[in-house]
Amino acid sequence: MKAAEKRIVIGVYHLSRSFGKYFALQDINLQVANGEFVFLVGPSGAGKSTLLRLIYMDDFPTTGQVVVGPYVSTRMKRSTIPFLRRRVGIVFQNFRLIDERTVFENVALAMKVTGAGMSEIKRQVTDILARVGLYHKRYDYPPVLSGGEQQRVAIARAVANRPAILLADEPTGNLDPVVTKSILELLFKVNAAGTAVLMATHDIDLVRSFGQRIIYLEEGRIVRDKEMIFVGDLRERLPDSKVSRRADDLEGYDISGEGSGNGVERGPRE
Amino acid sequence: MNVNAMRYLISESVLMLGRRKGSNIISIVIMGLSLLILVVFLLVTLNISRIIEATREEHRVYVYLEDGLAQNVSQAIQLRLLGSEGIEEVIFISKEEALARFREALGENRDILEALEENPLPDEYRVKLRPELIRSDFMGRMASEIEGWDGVEEVRYGRRWLERGETLVRGFYIVDLCIGAIIFLSVIFVISNTVRLMVISRRKAIDVMKLVGATNAYIQVPFIMEGALQGIFAALLAVGLLVLIYLFGTRYLSGLVFLDPGAVVGFIVFCALLGALGSFTAMRRFLKM
Ligand SMILES: Nc1ncnc2c1ncn2[C@@H]1O[C@H](COP(=O)(O)OP(=O)(O)OP(=O)(O)O)[C@@H](O)[C@H]1O
Ligand SMILES: [Mg+2]
């Protein structure tokens, strides 16, 4: 078991974001390393969504800065935002799929816009749909899918370009507990393959049992950043997981999108 | 631009047009019908102006000669007429010929001419002017000049008719231009608005494309192409319906003319540009450029 090289994939430094006189976020400092799985927890209105938007640079800080791989918020040009987005997968509570495109096309779109070739797209999308268990529904349109299935498509789309980072904003917010578990499982699977995951949720009970790093956000401030206790494939932590736990379920993703390597190798602590 | 990008842009445009057949067909019909109003207007204007032109062509100036003029004087007048500015054609009609024509024209009532002891009609020259000179001011000047020539009895050019006609034609063109401008502006409004609504209805898809890292060009170009395609289809619909109207019209009105092919092509190109422009301006707002 070799120690994985640790790299910071998300850095947030002295960040504040105000809307008029109201501070949605205040003096936020945090770093996320490659291959980490971090929960961002806080009550409604704490600023979770705002923080994620600042990370994928749909919004910019009032003061301070956000660094995502080679992209720095204070030096960002509008024309380079698309290239940041290709290295950051994003998943929302409301799935945000395009209704008039099939499951396959929804996932393929993320690759198409990068100028990827047809054969590569076909191979990769087929592969990913198989991994999220929706290959048999590839010709269906999102409106006929269940919420859980739609979210799987959204996750498939988010990881289609093998991103270094996956941001998930209440990805289980619209789903029942059973489906919630399966979506979490899928996110753990993505993480096990080497993608750093930052998942926002207001459901503290949901995330407490995994021993993962949890950042508590309240009224725009980080009130606690709990160390990671458990190191390893998080799926082991899910009760009666039916998914194979082999870490090569999803092949390792190139974390930073710049170096080589297959992400982080991890194992349970001795 | 590489091959993948080209393929993407084309397949995207086709996909977008095909997937939303229902709403696309509605948009195209709305645009097509408003364009139909424009092309019908153009066709009507074209045909009316053709009739005006034809009437102008027919117009003649009558130069009546004094009675018993020597032939060489009459010929000198003809030569002088032919040498004058703007005169295209001079035809001599002798008093006998004029009477014969008159008799012909009278038909069954020709008996009344029997009472005549001698031919009261003068010899005349029928003068055809260049169409653009058929204006009351020019012709008035010309007529009074020719009337001063030796051997010319009188010159008639239908002054009152001409003046009234001119007022009428001028009035027609002013009204026509105003109506045309209104129709033109409405068409631009309808098309750009329809295309804009199409773009707005895809707002969600646009946001998704931004989310997954599409550059503005990748998002925009398929929409612009779709706007252009909608414009083309709407134009074809309008022209198709216009052909039907034209064919129907020719059964009742002879001599009806259709827009010339160049104008039809120009019209289709114009509609494509309008659709593309409508899409482009609508996109700008979403893409914050
Ligand atoms: N564009 C904006 N303009 C004004 N206020 C905003 C804007 N975006 C966010 N806010 C405010 O910032 C605060 C944090 O909002 P945010 O959506 O980040 O909360 P959240 O933690 O995601 O909550 P929830 O769990 O309900 O999704 C809220 O009070 C919100 O009203
Ligand atoms: Mg939120």
Side-chain angles (χ1 to χ4, degrees), chain A residues 78 82-83 85-86 90 92 96-101 105 109-110 112-113 115-118 141 157, chain B residues 2 4 7-8 11-12 15-16 19-20 202 204-205 208-215 218 287-288:
Chain A
R78 208 172 274 289
F83 302 97
R85 300 281 168 83
R86 294 172 193 185
I90 310 165
F92 298 94
R96 301 203 191 173
L97 301 172
I98 301 177
D99 288 347
E100 63 270 13
R101 287 173 199 251
E105 288 165 346
L109 182 67
K112 273 190 188 170
V113 302
M118 281 305 195
Y141 290 88
R157 180 181 65 195
Chain B
N2 64 31
N4 289 336
R7 195 182 301 165
Y8 161 84
S11 73
E12 271 302 291
L15 184 143
M16 291 210 297
R19 280 300 156 74
R20 291 201 165 199
R202 313 260 175 101
K204 207 177 141 191
V208 167
M209 293 179 85
K210 284 205 280 191
L211 204 64
V212 297
T215 56
Y218 260 66
L287 299 176
K288 295 192 205 116

Side-chain angles (χ1 to χ4, degrees), chain B residues 76-246:
Chain B
I77 291 173
Q78 180 166 23
L79 285 176
R80 224 173 145 187
L81 282 172
L82 280 169
S84 301
E85 184 204 349
I87 291 180
E88 270 188 342
E89 186 187 274
V90 178
I91 293 174
F92 177 74
I93 293 174
S94 67
K95 52 198 293 181
E96 292 76 25
E97 203 179 337
L99 186 63
R101 285 189 187 188
F102 189 38
R103 192 171 279 134
E104 190 85 357
L106 284 174
E108 301 204 331
N109 299 322
R110 70 174 70 98
D111 295 348
I112 57 169
L113 293 181
E114 301 305 322
L116 292 175
E117 283 173 11
E118 62 181 74
N119 186 351
L121 299 174
D123 288 336
E124 71 181 62
Y125 282 115
R126 226 165 256 199
V127 174
K128 186 183 172 197
L129 282 174
R130 285 214 311 274
E132 68 270 21
L133 292 176
I134 307 209
R135 300 189 318 252
S136 54
D137 57 341
F138 177 82
M139 292 170 80
R141 249 186 294 121
M142 190 182 81
S144 52
E145 190 199 314
I146 295 172
E147 259 174 359
W149 294 356
D150 275 349
V152 174
E153 170 102 34
E154 192 186 1
V155 177
R156 285 202 191 158
Y157 61 93
R159 187 171 63 91
R160 292 170 60 116
W161 187 93
L162 197 67
E163 280 170 359
R164 260 184 230 157
E166 275 178 344
T167 316
L168 208 67
V169 167
R170 200 177 305 121
F172 165 76
Y173 278 121
I174 289 172
V175 171
D176 191 73
L177 205 69
C178 291
I179 295 175
I182 291 168
I183 292 177
F184 188 73
L185 291 178
S186 333
V187 162
I188 288 182
F189 179 77
V190 168
I191 292 193
S192 58
N193 222 41
T194 308
V195 171
R196 203 162 59 86
L197 289 177
M198 178 269 292
V199 172
I200 290 172
S201 75
R202 313 260 175 101
R203 186 161 194 172
K204 207 177 141 191
I206 295 170
D207 284 341
V208 167
M209 293 179 85
K210 284 205 280 191
L211 204 64
V212 297
T215 56
N216 280 346
Y218 260 66
I219 300 173
Q220 237 179 350
V221 173
F223 275 90
I224 291 173
M225 280 167 66
E226 192 185 357
L229 282 176
Q230 283 193 341
I232 290 172
F233 285 133
L236 290 175
L237 176 66
V239 170
L241 291 173
L242 187 71
V243 168
L244 293 182
I245 290 173
Y246 169 75

Side-chain angles (χ1 to χ4, degrees), chain A residues 208 211-216 224-229:
Chain A
R208 239 189 322 234
Q212 264 316 292
R213 179 177 168 197
I214 302 176
I215 296 172
Y216 291 94
R224 193 165 157 222
D225 189 345
K226 191 164 135 288
E227 273 295 302
M228 175 170 65
I229 301 165

